[in-house]
Amino acid sequence: MAGGIGERLGSKKTVGTMVCCLVCFTAVSALIALQPPMIRRLDMMVYDVFLRGLTGGEPSPVPIMIDIDERSISELGQWPWPRYRLAELVAALYEGGVASVGVDILMSEPDRTSPLLWSRQIKEDFGIETDIAGLPPELMDNDKYLASVLAQIPVVLSAYGTLNPADSADVRPRVINVTKFFDPGVSLSLSISDYVPNYDGIQMPVGELARNAAYIGLMNAEGDEDGIFRRVPLFSSYDGIDIPGLALATLALGAGDGSVVVRLAADGPRSLRVAGVEVPISKGGTLPIAFRGASGSYPRYSAVDVIRGDVSPEDLAGRVAFLGSTSAGLLDLRATPFEKSYPGLEIHAAVVDTILSGRFITEPESRVGLELIVMALTGVMASVFFSVVRPHVALPLGGLLGASVWAGARYMMVAKGIYLTPLYSLVNMALQALSSSAVRFWFEEGEKKVLRKAFSNYVSPEIVGQIVKEGSVSSLRGEQRNISVLFTDLRGFTSIVEKMAPTQVVGMLGSYFAPMTSIVRGSMGTLDKFVGDALMAFWNAPLDVPDHPVKAVESLLEMHRALGELNLNMERDYGIRLRMGGGIHTGLAHVGNMGTSELMDYTAIGDTVNTASRLEGMCPKYGVGAVISKDTADLCAGRFMLMPLDIVRVKGRSAGIPIFSVLPQDEATAREEELQIWDDAFKLYVAGDFESSLEKCRLLLRKRPDEKLYQIFAERARAMGEVVPEDWDGVYTYENK
């Protein structure tokens, strides 16, 4: 047996195998050096799997969250709250005995609800002097009131670093004391800012607040390149100042001295000491977070309960509290290895828990060397297995070797908190196995026949040929579904683009479609296609979407709101303002993959789609931004303010379609009296009482002379009053699209 193995090692096959082994090792070593994006993302996925082994356990009792949740907003008023309420909340926490408070809210602008600011605005806008009697002077300016409370309480306020120098604040941030400790032989000129993120500007809290807060902490939080949040920057730098992250600053303040000691080695910050704990620092001055699992791992108290005194002092005393919101509507959510929408507020608690529990995840200085050694040893073993041992034995051995590498790396992470990736060893082993097997079969002609025979046992040549011919083995079959279809289109787009260069048109459309696409996808809609400046989307396919007509209408309203914000940039960048119209219809349509084997598209066709397109085209006829059918309106009853527009017979349909426009709630409230008059005018028009309808339309036009809808019906009522149509049924027929 030994002689047989020796002969094999001396054969050409063995030489070829060793050459392949060296080539594979060199190739994978190049991957380690070059770090291509795909490899980095695979490594992040491995890290996430190992990280899940750290979940569970009893978290530190120190970090708690004070949540401005949906209930708090519902009971105490919509967000943003006046800052006297935040002052009330912070004071209640202090009275409850918290050690420190970190405010995860950026207050970079003055409180516009302050009575003083409000009265000035009334005077500027209307020329009216207001006299607010009976209000104590300290409550005239909410920011001053909050500042006076902050001056007495250990609070860290949030700031936000930017790359734009114009964002810099006049008030320099007051930060925790950072003491440097240098390793022997390290230059004393070494700076933390040489290794951490540097910002050109900073958005600070309002000056009065910043000056009275104990410290400032940065709330900047960037995920890894795949968008997943795994670590936090412990420090960042601005204008020569080393600014801690919000969590670190709040913990240091809660520890009583408001300071940290940073150890600097030749390659940058190596560790820091805070609250009596030595904290290892990873590359770039970051701290990997040892999450306990999904959200809900740390105590969370509703802000309204804290204000009303319903939270026991025992639950607050000595705690480090983070004040913010987990409400989905305020969008402070992050993707983590455990869930896509992890509250940003809870990340601060997880950071403090990681530090106080000592659950650190580190990468040894010699990580690359250790990984290369493991990769070389396991690669040689895999090469030997697959070049010498019989395949039915080599496969289990190779699998066992790969499982051992995986288990060993996982053990180091879970038990020791040391991350050594098994990825490169596994990739190398796979390449060694493939190359060794290829060399083996190349030199052993008999194995080729075995391979072909084994392949034919699984897939016949006829089936392979059929798959190649058809180009696909599966497709989404078409089906009839009840869907809500939305079409949008920009008004006057042709005249706009005539004055723009092609590159400007592309940039402008990209800026326009980006938020519109996000709105559709965010409401469980399916984006069908773009046609020039037009957009088509639908809801309730391929998956069921509850209340899909409501979601379609909400999306259209949100698009108009987003367009209003977008137009600020459009005026600045292109000197234009965009106007959009949208049509929505709900009904049956055929939905599925359509096209050819070369080009497939998941789309919807049918009368429902055509009708939605026709309705969108009616927006400019009535001077409105939204037109929805009665089928959609009936399914949205009570959810929106619907304004009747007409009963029309469009091209391609014989029956009349009642159509409506939908108004944002604030506009509907402001026009309540006017809309009631219009509703009466429209009903009189449909009933054939054109004279009374005309009278009300004229009344409306005196109030809103430029309203196109009122102009149309005034003209119709006047004309029909002179010649009353026979068999009047209230339906108006459009001869074109």
Side-chain angles (χ1 to χ4, degrees):
M1 178 69 175
I5 294 176
E7 292 176 359
R8 291 178 181 178
L9 292 174
S11 67
K12 291 183 178 179
K13 182 181 71 175
T14 303
V15 174
T17 300
M18 292 298 103
V19 170
C20 287
C21 181
L22 182 59
V23 170
C24 292
F25 180 82
T26 303
V28 178
S29 298
L31 290 179
I32 296 178
L34 297 175
Q35 290 287 299
M38 182 182 71
I39 289 295
R40 291 199 301 270
R41 294 203 175 194
L42 286 174
D43 192 25
M44 293 173 191
M45 294 170 65
V46 173
Y47 178 91
D48 293 345
V49 172
F50 288 176
L51 186 63
R52 295 185 183 102
L54 288 172
T55 58
E58 190 67 27
S60 166
V62 172
I64 62 173
M65 295 177 290
I66 309 303
D67 188 6
I68 302 174
D69 53 10
E70 299 290 353
R71 186 165 69 87
S72 298
I73 294 173
S74 174
E75 295 185 21
L76 297 180
Q78 67 181 16
W79 185 259
W81 283 349
R83 288 184 186 148
Y84 70 77
R85 181 154 291 143
L86 291 178
E88 183 183 11
L89 177 56
V90 172
L93 290 171
Y94 181 66
E95 291 171 1
V98 295
S100 61
V101 180
V103 180
D104 188 25
I105 301 169
L106 182 61
M107 294 181 283
S108 58
E109 295 182 356
D111 186 348
R112 299 188 180 185
T113 65
S114 293
L116 184 61
L117 190 61
W118 175 81
S119 62
R120 288 175 182 170
Q121 193 67 45
I122 290 294
K123 183 177 180 180
E124 290 178 7
D125 293 345
F126 301 102
I128 300 175
E129 292 282 356
T130 56
D131 181 15
I132 305 176
L135 192 64
E138 60 269 19
L139 292 180
M140 287 295 292
D141 188 324
N142 292 340
D143 287 324
K144 286 186 177 180
Y145 181 69
L146 176 57
S148 68
V149 173
L150 294 178
Q152 309 171 55
I153 295 176
V155 175
V156 178
L157 292 184
S158 292
Y160 188 81
T162 74
L163 299 178
N164 184 358
D167 292 329
S168 302
D170 295 333
V171 181
R172 289 176 64 82
R174 180 191 301 170
V175 298
I176 59 176
N177 181 49
V178 179
T179 302
K180 299 176 185 177
F181 172 79
F182 296 90
D183 280 358
V186 176
S187 171
L188 299 182
S189 63
L190 194 65
S191 172
I192 296 175
S193 62
D194 295 333
Y195 303 92
V196 301
N198 278 260
Y199 295 109
D200 298 321
I202 186 170
Q203 289 184 341
M204 287 281 290
V206 173
E208 190 122 24
L209 302 181
R211 284 187 289 269
N212 285 277
Y215 299 115
I216 296 296
L218 282 186
M219 65 193 308
N220 293 67
E222 299 293 336
D224 291 327
E225 59 189 273
D226 59 354
I228 306 298
F229 199 96
R230 300 178 178 88
R231 61 191 72 238
V232 294
L234 292 174
F235 283 99
S236 300
S237 181
Y238 161 69
D239 196 23
I241 306 173
D242 296 322
I243 309 178
L246 179 64
L248 176 60
T250 308
L251 175 58
L253 179 61
D257 57 0
S259 64
V260 298
V261 178
V262 178
R263 174 192 165 203
L264 289 169
D267 57 350
R270 190 64 59 78
S271 67
L272 64 82
R273 188 167 187 82
V274 62
V277 180
E278 193 76 17
V279 183
I281 300 179
S282 293
K283 184 178 180 181
T286 61
L287 173 71
I289 306 173
F291 292 97
R292 294 282 179 179
S295 58
S297 301
Y298 305 100
R300 181 187 304 175
Y301 303 102
S302 179
V304 66
D305 291 336
V306 174
I307 291 175
R308 292 173 177 172
D310 294 336
V311 179
S312 170
E314 288 77 12
D315 294 327
L316 300 177
R319 304 297 195 268
V320 171
F322 293 98
L323 170 60
S325 177
T326 64
S327 171
L330 298 185
L331 303 178
D332 185 23
L333 302 174
R334 304 283 187 271
T336 71
F338 297 91
E339 59 183 301
K340 293 182 179 179
S341 299
Y342 191 96
L345 181 65
E346 190 158 350
I347 287 177
H348 302 306
V351 171
V352 172
D353 177 39
T354 297
I355 293 173
L356 297 183
S357 299
R359 300 168 68 245
F360 302 118
I361 303 169
T362 61
E363 297 179 3
E365 299 176 34
S366 56
R367 170 186 169 179
V368 174
L370 291 172
E371 290 173 350
L372 285 173
I373 292 173
V374 174
M375 187 175 76
L377 292 175
T378 55
V380 170
M381 294 174 68
S383 180
V384 171
F385 289 163
F386 285 91
S387 63
V388 177
V389 183
R390 295 289 182 181
H392 67 279
V393 177
L395 282 171
L397 286 176
L400 181 61
L401 181 61
S404 299
V405 172
W406 180 274
R410 185 181 184 278
Y411 170 79
M412 293 297 293
M413 172 83 157
V414 175
K416 304 295 184 180
I418 299 174
Y419 180 63
L420 296 170
T421 180
L423 178 62
Y424 302 113
S425 293
L426 295 175
V427 170
N428 185 49
M429 288 168 57
L431 291 177
Q432 301 289 3
L434 289 173
S435 62
S436 298
S437 297
V439 170
R440 180 173 185 166
F441 288 125
W442 177 265
F443 284 99
E444 298 177 9
E445 293 183 359
E447 294 293 328
K448 293 182 181 180
K449 295 180 180 179
V450 174
L451 180 61
R452 286 195 296 268
K453 182 179 179 181
F455 187 80
S456 64
N457 287 335
Y458 292 99
V459 182
S460 71
E462 293 80 12
I463 294 177
V464 174
Q466 187 66 26
I467 292 174
V468 172
K469 180 180 178 181
E470 294 182 354
S472 175
V473 295
S474 63
S475 64
L476 291 170
R477 294 184 176 180
E479 59 179 332
Q480 288 285 115
R481 291 184 72 98
N482 186 273
I483 63 174
S484 293
V485 183
L486 164 67
F487 275 90
T488 68
D489 191 41
L490 292 178
R491 299 288 168 249
F493 181 72
T494 302
S495 60
I496 290 175
V497 300
E498 286 176 350
K499 306 172 185 177
M500 301 173 67
T503 54
Q504 289 182 309
V505 175
V506 172
M508 182 268 287
L509 283 177
S511 300
Y512 164 69
F513 280 130
M516 304 304 151
T517 299
S518 177
I519 290 168
V520 170
R521 290 178 174 171
S523 63
M524 303 176 66
T526 299
L527 186 65
D528 187 295
K529 62 176 68 72
F530 301 116
V531 181
D533 60 310
L535 175 150
M536 173 185 169
F538 52 83
W539 283 257
N540 208 41
L543 301 178
D544 291 336
V545 177
D547 292 333
H548 56 91
V550 174
K551 285 185 168 56
V553 174
E554 286 176 340
S555 296
L556 181 54
L557 289 175
E558 179 63 16
M559 286 178 175
H560 278 290
R561 188 200 64 77
L563 184 60
E565 297 178 356
L566 183 63
N567 271 329
L568 299 177
N569 295 331
M570 289 293 177
E571 287 184 320
R572 180 196 64 202
D573 297 337
Y574 305 105
I576 62 173
R577 286 188 64 84
L578 299 178
R579 293 179 299 113
M580 181 187 73
I584 301 175
H585 180 53
T586 302
L588 287 175
H590 186 83
V591 188
N593 265 351
M594 300 178 197
T596 67
S597 57
E598 289 80 17
L599 181 61
M600 278 284 183
D601 186 22
Y602 186 80
T603 187
I605 60 174
D607 181 64
T608 295
V609 178
N610 297 335
T611 300
S613 177
R614 301 285 190 272
L615 295 181
E616 179 275 318
M618 290 185 180
C619 289
K621 297 181 187 296
Y622 296 94
V624 295
V627 176
I628 68 174
S629 67
K630 185 176 186 300
D631 296 299
T632 302
D634 287 346
L635 295 170
C636 297
R639 304 291 290 272
F640 306 101
M641 177 61 201
L642 301 177
M643 180 181 185
L645 292 180
D646 210 342
I647 304 174
V648 299
R649 185 179 291 110
V650 298
K651 188 173 181 179
R653 292 182 65 114
S654 58
I657 306 174
I659 59 175
F660 301 82
S661 186
V662 59
L663 302 177
Q665 188 56 52
D666 55 347
E667 181 181 350
T669 302
R671 299 174 59 185
E672 183 177 2
E673 181 181 351
E674 171 198 339
L675 293 177
Q676 182 58 56
I677 297 173
W678 163 245
D679 191 62
D680 294 339
F682 181 74
K683 289 178 180 177
L684 291 168
Y685 167 83
V686 173
D689 188 350
F690 301 118
E691 183 177 349
S692 299
S693 178
L694 176 60
E695 182 181 344
K696 290 187 177 293
C697 286
R698 287 172 174 167
L699 174 61
L700 291 168
L701 285 171
R702 283 195 291 271
K703 295 183 177 182
R704 299 175 70 96
D706 296 328
E707 188 70 33
K708 191 171 184 179
L709 178 65
Y710 303 155
Q711 294 172 355
I712 290 172
F713 276 85
E715 177 58 28
R716 282 195 201 171
R718 186 195 60 76
M720 292 179 180
E722 296 174 357
V723 181
V724 178
E726 296 182 5
D727 301 325
W728 171 248
D729 58 0
V731 178
Y732 188 84
T733 301
Y734 280 101
E735 299 300 335
N736 53 23
K737 295 183 180 182

